[in-house]
């Protein structure tokens, strides 16, 4: 198992089947780092959003001074002259689990590579590699001269900023259980509602996310293994699956408009259920409605209810993070050191 934050051997990058190997085969791998971004298998977009919002150099006066000195030297010696890629990273490509950004000046042609990898303990994390192609003997000497500053000052500041951004992303999503409203009960189509619970997700979501998009993100956006477990659990509770276009993970869409979607399942044992998702100005609400036809189904639900509450809370947290990630990815980057189209600091190499 690799520590959450650690400098890694170069083989941690070179032995993986990255796409970047085909593009930058003549580049040297300068550094490889494990990023302090623990997450699930589908959290790579969240890493990109975190990097995009990064202001690594803004957190340390020493790092700001170093970057300012580098820009001043670049202007003095013409290292960042027009006609090259510029003094900021530009995107090369982005896939589901890998992204690369390049920078070129008169000293070095560099690539910042980001990947999403298993952490050896059942979770995943980000991995960052810096690839370089020095421009002549001067470029080689330049990289050797700045190596102590990279390892002692720039990289530690960058990793702290990444970790802070990752935690702030979690803090931006709030999931809490609330008392179900009478309106939620009234919108259902069950003969009667013997059990109801509601949760609200407070998050800055993309404004066009309608209720159905929220519902699909909660259920269909879950990892494949979790979706399989959910389906098995619902079957064990006697809930029947509906097939066809008007469904969400086997739940029949019974009502849908931009602000509300109601989905339901019939039951073989007399315990049909419905899920009601409502769009809110800051996120969404998610309600579970259950009808009990017999005393036995009441007893069964009493046993599974704690697991239901934990599972719903986890699903909503994941969906909230997905909404926050998409919202952050669309925000224009603020000008200044460490921001911009690069999604990376000006000169990590």
């Amino acid at each position: 198992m690799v520590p959450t934050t650690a400098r890694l051997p170069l083989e941690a990058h070179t032995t993986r089947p990255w796409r970047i190997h085909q593009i930058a085969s003549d580049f040297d791998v300068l550094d490889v780092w494990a990023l302090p971004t623990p997450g699930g298998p589908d959290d790579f977009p969240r890493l990109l959003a975190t990097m995009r919002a990064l202001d690594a150099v803004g957190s340390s006066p020493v790092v700001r001074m170093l970057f300012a000195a580098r820009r001043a030297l670049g202007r003095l010696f013409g290292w960042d002259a027009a006609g090259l890629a510029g003094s900021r990273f530009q995107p090369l490509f982005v896939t589901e689990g890998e992204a690369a950004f390049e920078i070129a000046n008169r000293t070095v042609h560099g690539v910042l590579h980001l990947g999403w990898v298993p952490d050896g303990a059942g979770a995943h994390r980000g991995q960052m590699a810096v690839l370089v192609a020095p421009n002549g003997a001067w470029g080689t000497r330049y990289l050797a001269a700045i190596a102590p500053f990279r390892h002692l000052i720039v990289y530690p500041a960058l990793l702290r900023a990444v970790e802070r951004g990752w935690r702030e992303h979690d803090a931006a999503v709030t999931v809490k259980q609330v008392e179900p409203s009478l309106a939620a009960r009234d919108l259902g189509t069950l003969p009667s509602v013997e059990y109801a619970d509601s949760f609200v997700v407070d998050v800055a979501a993309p404004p066009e996310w309608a209720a159905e998009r929220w519902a699909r993100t909660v259920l269909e956006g879950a990892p494949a293994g979790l979706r399989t477990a959910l389906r098995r659990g619902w079957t064990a509770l006697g809930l029947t699956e509906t097939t066809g276009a008007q469904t969400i993970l086997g739940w029949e869409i019974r009502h849908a408009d931009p602000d509300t979607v109601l989905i339901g399942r019939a039951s073989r044992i007399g315990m049909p259920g419905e899920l009601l998702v409502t769009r809110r100005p800051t996120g969404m609400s998610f309600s579970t409605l259950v009808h009990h036809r017999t005393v036995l189904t009441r007893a069964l639900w009493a046993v599974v209810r704690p697991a239901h509450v934990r599972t719903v809370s986890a699903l909503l947290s994941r969906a909230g993070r997905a909404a926050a990630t998409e919202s952050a990815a669309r925000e224009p980057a603020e000008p200044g050191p460490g921001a911009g189209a690069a999604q990376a600091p000006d000169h990590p190499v």
Side-chain angles (χ1 to χ4, degrees):
M1 186 174 111
V2 177
T4 306
T5 304
R7 190 179 178 190
L8 303 175
L10 303 186
E11 291 77 12
H13 173 81
T14 58
T15 57
R16 292 190 177 275
W18 299 120
R19 179 183 175 188
I20 191 63
H21 298 323
Q22 305 169 12
I23 299 174
S25 59
D26 56 341
F27 281 57
D28 296 325
V29 182
L30 194 64
D31 292 295
V32 184
W33 292 87
L35 297 178
T37 56
D42 304 319
D43 280 340
F44 184 61
R46 178 183 168 194
L47 174 62
L48 293 181
T50 298
M51 296 297 287
R52 190 177 190 278
L54 194 63
D55 186 11
V57 302
S59 60
S60 166
V62 176
V63 175
R64 286 201 302 271
M65 180 184 68
L66 287 175
F67 277 66
R70 170 58 182 83
R71 287 191 293 270
L73 290 173
R75 289 192 297 269
L76 179 63
F77 293 105
W79 293 341
D80 308 320
L84 299 172
S87 61
R88 291 186 183 277
F89 281 85
Q90 305 297 325
L92 280 174
F93 67 85
V94 176
T95 70
E96 291 184 357
E98 181 183 0
F101 309 88
E102 71 171 338
I103 188 172
N105 52 51
R106 295 193 185 280
T107 60
V108 67
H109 188 180
V111 172
L112 179 70
H113 180 267
L114 298 173
W116 195 245
V117 300
D119 68 356
H124 288 68
R125 58 162 173 78
Q127 181 170 296
M128 180 181 74
V130 177
L131 289 66
V132 296
N135 286 328
W138 168 243
T140 301
R141 290 193 295 269
Y142 167 77
L143 288 174
I146 68 169
F149 300 101
R150 288 200 325 271
H151 296 137
L152 296 177
I153 301 175
V154 175
Y155 283 136
L158 175 63
L159 295 174
R160 286 194 299 270
V162 170
E163 184 174 22
R164 183 170 59 251
W166 194 257
R167 290 177 176 174
E168 288 174 351
H169 188 283
D170 279 339
V173 180
T174 301
V175 178
K176 58 184 177 181
Q177 189 171 2
V178 298
E179 188 69 23
S181 67
L182 293 177
R185 294 173 179 268
D186 292 342
L187 287 171
T189 65
L190 299 174
S192 61
V193 176
E194 280 68 46
Y195 173 85
D197 65 33
S198 292
F199 293 79
V200 294
V201 180
D202 287 322
V203 63
E208 74 278 9
W209 273 39
E212 184 174 336
R213 173 66 183 276
W214 271 111
R216 293 192 182 279
T217 301
V218 171
L219 298 179
E220 296 177 346
L226 180 53
R227 294 198 304 271
T228 299
L230 288 172
R231 279 188 149 120
R232 289 174 178 171
W234 295 329
T235 300
L237 290 175
L239 298 174
T240 59
E241 182 161 329
T242 302
T243 59
Q246 298 301 308
T247 62
I248 299 176
L249 203 63
W251 291 74
E252 175 193 13
I253 298 178
R254 296 177 176 174
H255 170 80
D257 61 47
D259 294 321
T260 306
V261 63
L262 179 71
I263 59 178
R265 284 191 180 220
S267 173
R268 297 188 303 272
I269 64 172
M271 191 174 64
E274 291 182 330
L275 304 176
L276 176 67
V277 177
T278 304
R279 179 170 63 175
R280 302 171 64 246
T282 56
M284 54 90 80
S285 66
F286 186 98
S287 299
T288 300
L289 310 172
V290 181
H291 170 61
H292 293 301
R293 199 169 298 161
T294 69
V295 175
L296 291 179
T297 60
R298 289 178 184 269
L300 174 61
W301 185 254
V303 173
V304 302
R305 177 185 171 276
H308 157 77
V309 170
R310 290 194 301 269
T311 301
V312 169
S313 181
L315 288 170
L316 296 181
S317 294
R318 176 178 289 275
R321 291 196 299 269
T325 295
E326 183 168 326
S327 182
R330 297 181 183 185
E331 294 176 0
E334 295 295 330
Q343 304 179 350
D346 292 348
H347 295 282
V349 297

